[in-house]
Amino acid sequence: MDERPETELISIPATPRASTPEILTPSGQRSPRPPSKEAKSSNAWTPTSFISPRFLSPIGTPMKRVLINMKGYLEEVGHLTKLNPQDAWLPITESRNGNAHYAAFHNLNAGVGFQALVLPVAFAFLGWSWGILSLTIAYFWQLYTLWILVQLHEAVPGKRYNRYVELAQAAFGERLGVWLALFPTVYLSAGTATALILIGGETMKLFFQIVCGPLCTSNPLTTVEWYLVFTSLCIVLSQLPNLNSIAGLSLIGAITAITYSTMVWVLSISQQRPPSISYEPLALPSFTSSVFQVLNALGIVAFAFRGHNLVLEIQATMPSTFKHPAHIPMWKGAKVAYFFIAMCLFPIAIGGFWAYGNLMPSGGILNALYGFHSHDIPRGLLALTFLLVVFNCLSSFQIYSMPVFDSFEAGYTSRTNRPCSIWVRSGFRVFYGFISFFIGVALPFLSSLAGLLGGLTLPVTFAYPCFMWVLIKRPSKYSFNWYFNWILGWLGVAFSLAFSIGGVWSMVNSGLKLKFFKPPN
C-alpha cells in the first residue's frame, strides 16, 4: 500500500488508461518476486522519489507539471502486468473490453438455471424452517466466497489469475492446485453442458407436444433425436469466438431465466392446491434413511448455487489498471446479478413448496406444474414457459462450455505456438458438442444427480475460496479473519463429503431419480 502523504497523492493528475497484458510465460503461472524489506519501508528510494513536492518547490510551474505527469505515468506503468502472448489467442482472454453490464449478464446466466427448479424437492425433505434457513445460509455464504474470488483476481501486483485453476495453483501449489480444482471445475463445466443437452432436448420434445397437440404426426421424433436437435443448435451458437462475444446470448439467457422462473412459481401458486397436500417433511422407514435424504436435500440446495468456476474467467474479460482495477466493475455487476438470482431462487423454493408440499414430484416444480395443471393452464402460456427454458439452456451451454473451449485451444497453441485457425476452433467445438451428446445418451441419469453434483462440486463454491484467501492474503494468525475463513473452508469440505454420501445413498437405496421435466405417473 502506498504510504506517501495524502497531499502528494492528490497532486497527481489522471493518466491515460492502459490495457492489462499478462506475465510472459506460456503457462501464465509465474508471479513477480515479492518486494524486499527495503521497498516496503516508507523511506525506501523509488525511481520517482526525486519527483516530490519538496524537491519540485524551486522549479517553475510548467516544468513541475511535466515532472508530476511523468511521475504519475511511471507509477501507473509500474503496476501493469507483463504480456503473455498466448492469452491474446484464447477465448477467455482474447477480448478485454468487458464491463459491469457484461459481468451482470454472464453471472446471471451462469447462476440461474434448471438447478433452481428442484429446490422445492429439497424443501419436501427439510420442511419450512430448515429449508428456508439452509437456503439463506447457502446464499450469503456463496456471496461471501464470490467476493473473495473477485478480490483475489489481482491479489499479487503484476499478475492476473484469469482462471480458477490458476488461482488454485497460486494458493495450494502447482501440482496440488491442479488435483484439487481441475476435476470439480471441469465436471461443473462439462457435466453441466451435458445435463443441459438432456434437459433442453426433453423440454423441446414437450414443447412440440404442447404446441401441436392431437395434430402431431404418428411418428414424432424420439427423445434421443430431440437431444441431437438441441446439440446441433448449441454447436451453431458455439461458433462465437470468445467470452465477450456471447454477452448478447448471456443477456438473453438472463432474461429468459428470470421470466420462466417467475412464471413457474406464479402459475403454481395461482392454481388450486392438491387436496391431500401436507407440509410435514417426508417420513422415511428408518432414521438412517431420513438422515441420508436430508443430506441429499442439502446437496440439492448447494447445487442451486453454481457459477463460481466462471467468476475469474468473467473478470478476465475486463481491462484493468492501477487506478481502475477490474474488481470494481466486476463486483458491481455481480451484486446486480445475485440480487436477481435471489429473486428467482427464493420464490421458486418457497412458492413451489407452498403449492405442492410433500406431493412435489422428484423432477421439480416444472414437472409438478405440467403434471397437476396441464389442463388448467392455457396451452400457449405453458408452451411459452417451456420455450423460455429451451432458450435459457442454449445460452447457459455457451458460457459453461467456454472454459472447456479455452482448455482445448490452450493445448493447441502451446504445442504449435500459433493461434487456432477458424477451422481448428470450429472443429474443437463441434467435437465437444457431440462428445457431450454421446455422454448424455450413454449416461442419461446425469440429470438425476442434483444432490450428488452439489456435494462433489461444493468445494469450488464454499470451501476453496476461503482457503485461498488465507493462503494468499495471509491475515494475521489467530485473528478473526484467520479463524473465520479456516472454519468456513473446513465446514465446506465436511459438507461436501456428507452431501456426496447422501446423494449416492439416496440413488442406490431409495431410487430417487431427479428426471427433469417428465410428467409424473
Side-chain angles (χ1 to χ4, degrees):
M1 180 176 177
D2 200 336
E3 297 182 6
R4 291 170 299 160
E6 185 177 0
T7 56
E8 185 177 349
L9 291 174
I10 294 175
S11 66
I12 300 174
T15 57
R17 296 184 61 180
S19 61
T20 308
E22 287 291 318
I23 288 187
L24 187 56
T25 60
S27 62
Q29 300 306 319
R30 295 182 188 171
S31 299
R33 295 179 180 177
S36 62
K37 294 181 180 179
E38 290 80 13
K40 291 181 180 178
S41 65
S42 59
N43 296 324
W45 183 88
T46 64
T48 59
S49 296
F50 72 94
I51 313 177
S52 63
R54 180 176 299 177
F55 177 82
L56 294 173
S57 56
I59 303 180
T61 301
M63 180 61 71
K64 181 177 179 180
R65 288 176 180 173
V66 170
L67 292 176
I68 290 179
N69 283 334
M70 183 185 300
K71 178 181 180 181
Y73 174 77
L74 291 174
E75 288 174 348
E76 182 77 12
V77 171
H79 289 81
L80 291 180
T81 53
K82 299 178 184 178
L83 178 63
N84 180 2
Q86 188 186 15
D87 273 348
W89 301 338
L90 301 181
I92 288 176
T93 50
E94 187 176 65
S95 173
R96 297 260 196 193
N97 61 352
N99 52 46
H101 298 91
Y102 285 13
F105 302 157
H106 289 316
N107 279 286
L108 191 51
N109 186 30
V112 178
F114 67 89
Q115 78 283 358
L117 300 175
V118 295
L119 280 175
V121 179
F123 273 51
F125 292 101
L126 298 174
W128 280 119
S129 300
W130 287 107
I132 295 175
L133 181 63
S134 62
L135 186 60
T136 304
I137 292 175
Y139 176 78
F140 286 103
W141 189 346
Q142 61 86 34
L143 196 62
Y144 170 66
T145 56
L146 174 72
W147 176 83
I148 287 179
L149 291 175
V150 171
Q151 298 300 315
L152 291 182
H153 178 78
E154 295 177 281
V156 177
K159 169 66 179 174
R160 293 182 71 176
Y161 297 109
N162 296 318
R163 295 157 186 87
Y164 196 98
V165 176
E166 292 181 12
L167 184 61
Q169 288 178 297
F172 304 119
E174 291 201 9
R175 183 170 299 179
L176 182 60
V178 170
W179 279 101
L180 291 177
L182 188 61
F183 170 75
T185 53
V186 169
Y187 198 69
L188 266 175
S189 296
T192 301
T194 302
L196 286 169
I197 289 177
L198 301 179
I199 296 160
E202 292 172 0
T203 310
M204 289 181 73
K205 180 181 178 181
L206 288 178
F207 170 76
F208 181 76
Q209 292 175 352
I210 293 171
V211 170
C212 70
L215 302 178
C216 287
T217 61
S218 57
N219 295 315
L221 295 178
T222 64
T223 303
V224 174
E225 290 171 335
W226 280 112
Y227 293 162
L228 184 59
V229 172
F230 184 84
T231 303
S232 301
L233 293 175
C234 289
I235 290 174
V236 171
L237 292 175
S238 69
Q239 301 309 312
L240 293 171
N242 54 60
L243 190 54
N244 267 340
S245 66
I246 65 169
L249 282 178
S250 290
L251 175 60
I252 294 173
I255 294 173
T256 54
I258 295 172
T259 305
Y260 81 69
S261 299
T262 305
M263 289 178 64
V264 165
W265 70 262
V266 168
L267 289 174
S268 296
I269 66 174
S270 64
Q271 303 298 318
Q272 185 175 1
R273 287 180 291 176
S276 58
I277 191 174
S278 172
Y279 298 110
E280 292 295 324
L282 290 172
L284 295 175
S286 65
F287 175 76
T288 304
S289 301
S290 300
V291 170
F292 281 115
Q293 284 291 20
V294 166
L295 292 176
N296 182 64
L298 292 173
I300 295 174
V301 173
F303 183 59
F305 298 102
R306 58 177 190 171
H308 281 50
N309 60 312
L310 297 168
V311 170
L312 296 173
E313 286 79 354
I314 295 170
Q315 194 168 345
T317 65
M318 300 179 180
S320 184
T321 66
F322 178 58
K323 294 183 181 297
H324 304 277
H327 69 83
I328 295 177
M330 178 64 187
W331 183 237
K332 287 181 180 178
K335 286 189 293 185
V336 173
Y338 276 83
F339 170 79
F340 284 106
I341 288 173
M343 294 299 99
C344 292
L345 299 187
F346 282 87
I348 285 179
I350 296 172
F353 186 56
W354 181 88
Y356 305 108
N358 57 11
L359 298 179
M360 175 67 62
S362 60
I365 187 173
L366 193 57
N367 190 333
L369 183 67
Y370 184 87
F372 287 107
H373 304 299
S374 59
H375 301 293
D376 304 325
I377 299 174
R379 193 171 67 177
L381 195 58
L382 197 60
L384 176 62
T385 304
F386 283 89
L387 184 61
L388 292 174
V389 173
V390 173
F391 287 158
N392 176 254
C393 289
L394 287 170
S395 302
S396 296
F397 181 90
Q398 307 308 318
I399 192 167
Y400 271 91
S401 300
M402 197 59 70
V404 182
F405 300 156
D406 188 84
S407 298
F408 284 163
E409 296 188 27
Y412 176 86
T413 56
S414 296
R415 290 175 179 271
T416 63
N417 198 28
R418 64 172 181 236
C420 293
S421 67
I422 187 172
W423 298 109
V424 173
R425 174 171 283 182
S426 298
F428 281 143
R429 300 183 182 197
V430 172
F431 170 78
Y432 172 74
F434 282 110
I435 284 293
S436 300
F437 165 75
F438 286 121
I439 293 175
V441 172
L443 304 173
F445 55 83
L446 278 177
S447 61
S448 307
L449 307 180
L452 180 59
L453 291 178
L456 291 176
T457 59
L458 183 145
V460 172
T461 302
F462 295 95
Y464 291 163
C466 300
F467 293 142
M468 292 172 182
W469 181 265
V470 174
L471 295 174
I472 294 177
K473 286 293 188 178
R474 300 188 181 278
S476 300
K477 200 170 184 180
Y478 307 124
S479 64
F480 173 79
N481 194 350
W482 188 87
Y483 275 117
F484 183 70
N485 284 284
W486 275 117
I487 291 173
L488 281 186
W490 285 114
L491 278 177
V493 172
F495 286 153
S496 174
L497 295 174
F499 297 168
S500 299
I501 294 172
V504 172
W505 188 94
S506 297
M507 290 184 57
V508 173
N509 295 283
S510 301
L512 178 61
K513 304 290 186 179
L514 297 176
K515 294 182 179 178
F516 296 91
F517 311 152
K518 293 186 178 180
N521 296 326

